[in-house]
Each structure stands twice: as structure tokens, then as C-alpha cells.
Amino acid sequence: MSTVDRGVSPSPDVLEAIIAVHQEVAATGLGLDQVMRLALFRAVELTGARGARVELTRGDEMEIRAATGTLSRSVGERPALSGSLSAEAMATGRTQLWRETRSDARVDPEACRRLGARSLVAAPIRTSQGGGVLKVVSDRSDAFDPGQSRAVELLAGVIAVALGRASVDEVRSRQGLHDPLTGLANRALFLDHLKAALGRLKRRQSTVSVFCVDLDGFDEVNGALGGALGDRL
């Protein structure tokens, strides 16, 4: 295993292809899943890998969020992070290249056999929410060089941007539909659910109930003691 030097650059054609990925994402507003699929497709196309997948951290596990090629069937799996092929890339924040996994005593040979990984690249997906790894594998030894490994790293950056954007959108969506003090659904979300429930009444015989709770005298508390104490109460 070796750490890929960030001073290494992919070939001009590969750089042009990665720039095109950035442009496509920016121009079309692709969602996170679409960005991951695009990055995986380009990673396989640009490196000649047999398979590629996106692994996102979930506590002490890695969730296989998207995959293609020989790794397609691994989607949904949650291997342990500790001792995995992704752990080194996550720990160092640097892209790792295995030219021959069979010669590395730190690599689990059974895991590599299941992946069909004689050679492998693991590029960290760095985000403030934990991130993950973009991984490409080949059943041939010495299938990837440092330039191709850097290409995988740059594609991991595309996914990192999409993950950050998705996180911001999720926060904004929640803020728009929930009360910031209590975290409960606000009027907009209530009306949305009520509309959906009334729509179901038209399709089948059922009932809809609305349960209302009111606190008497709460305005007097706010008026006498202030809104800050009212919020705490």
C-alpha cells in the first residue's frame, strides 16, 4: 500500500473528463444519488476498474450507499470500519493505492477475495459530517497508477460537495417544517399532512381526526416574565 502524492496529476484527457463531471453536476442540479452514480460510472471508465462503490461512515460501520460493476451487489451492506480497506484512507485523509493486496499483511485476504480486489484505490470523501470513501477495485495486480488514483480522489471531491449540499438542503427543509424551539411540526407541515389525509378520504372510506391542545394563561406568563422564560417553561 502507498499514499498517493497530491502533486501527481491525471492525464489531460482525464482531467478534462473530471471537469466535465463538475460542469454537468452544476448545470443540471443532480441530486446526491445521481451524483454518486455519475462519479462511479466515470471512475470505472477513467481507471479501467472492474467495480467501484461509495462507502459512507455510519458510526463504527461503513454503509455501502452506491456501487457499480463487480461491486454492485454490495449495496446496503454495512462492513465494520475498523480493520477495513477503507480505514487507512479515513484515518489519514489521503488516497491509498494497493498495487497488490495479497502482499500486504494488513489486508484481510478473505475480504479482498469477496471484492475481487487484487489491486485497489480508496479515496476519502471529506465532509464535516463524517464523509466516507470512494473505492475502485480490479482483479488484476498493479491495475492502477498514481495518476488514475488521483482521478479517483478528484471524483471523491465531487461526491463530497454533493454530500455537503444535501446536508444543507436537509437542514433547511427541516427548519421550514418544524418549530425551532420544540422541534415539533409547524403549521406548514400540519397543513401538508392534513391535505394528504383529506385526499385519502376521497379515495376510500375512512375518517380524519384533529386533536387540539391549548395552554390557558400562557400569554400572561410571556407578558409578565418575558418570552425567554416562557420558552424555557
Side-chain angles (χ1 to χ4, degrees):
M1 181 193 70
S2 61
T3 299
V4 177
D5 185 351
R6 288 175 179 157
V8 174
S9 294
S11 68
D13 289 345
V14 170
L15 280 176
E16 185 176 342
I18 294 173
I19 291 171
V21 171
H22 279 280
Q23 292 173 334
E24 181 175 352
V25 171
T28 60
L30 296 177
L32 176 58
D33 289 339
Q34 294 170 308
V35 171
M36 289 191 293
R37 286 195 294 270
L38 176 61
L40 288 172
F41 175 79
R42 293 301 183 207
V44 169
E45 179 183 57
L46 297 175
T47 65
R50 294 295 303 280
R53 73 188 191 187
V54 175
E55 306 175 6
L56 301 181
T57 54
R58 296 291 183 264
D60 57 358
E61 296 178 327
M62 300 294 288
E63 177 192 2
I64 313 304
R65 180 66 181 271
T68 191
T70 56
L71 302 182
S72 295
R73 294 183 179 180
S74 64
V75 173
E77 294 179 0
R78 296 176 74 108
L81 174 60
S82 177
S84 71
L85 298 173
S86 304
E88 189 71 19
M90 292 292 297
T92 63
R94 301 287 299 275
T95 298
Q96 304 298 323
L97 167 62
W98 284 265
R99 293 181 180 272
E100 174 54 82
T101 57
R102 294 180 182 179
S103 63
D104 193 329
R106 295 168 295 181
V107 172
D108 180 352
E110 178 59 24
C112 288
R113 186 193 65 79
R114 290 197 306 270
L115 293 175
R118 287 285 302 276
S119 52
L120 177 148
V121 177
I125 300 170
R126 295 181 289 270
T127 73
S128 58
Q129 290 77 37
V133 166
L134 172 58
K135 182 181 293 180
V136 299
V137 303
S138 175
D139 56 1
R140 297 182 296 106
S141 62
D142 207 22
F144 309 114
D145 60 30
Q148 292 170 315
S149 301
R150 277 284 289 150
V152 176
E153 182 176 307
L154 294 173
L155 289 169
V158 176
I159 298 173
V161 172
L163 274 169
R165 186 174 65 243
S167 178
V168 171
D169 290 344
E170 181 180 351
V171 170
R172 287 176 177 171
S173 176
R174 180 169 179 79
Q175 289 174 340
L177 297 174
H178 292 80
D179 177 68
L181 175 62
T182 64
L184 299 175
N186 63 12
R187 184 181 186 86
L189 186 55
F190 165 73
L191 292 176
D192 182 67
H193 285 189
L194 181 61
K195 181 180 178 180
L198 293 175
R200 289 194 294 271
L201 286 177
K202 298 179 180 180
R203 298 191 297 272
R204 59 179 184 270
Q205 290 185 344
S206 61
T207 60
V208 173
S209 300
V210 177
F211 184 61
C212 298
V213 177
D214 188 26
L215 296 178
D216 292 332
F218 206 75
D219 286 342
E220 286 77 1
V221 173
N222 284 333
L225 302 176
L229 188 57
D231 287 347
R232 290 178 60 189
L233 180 62

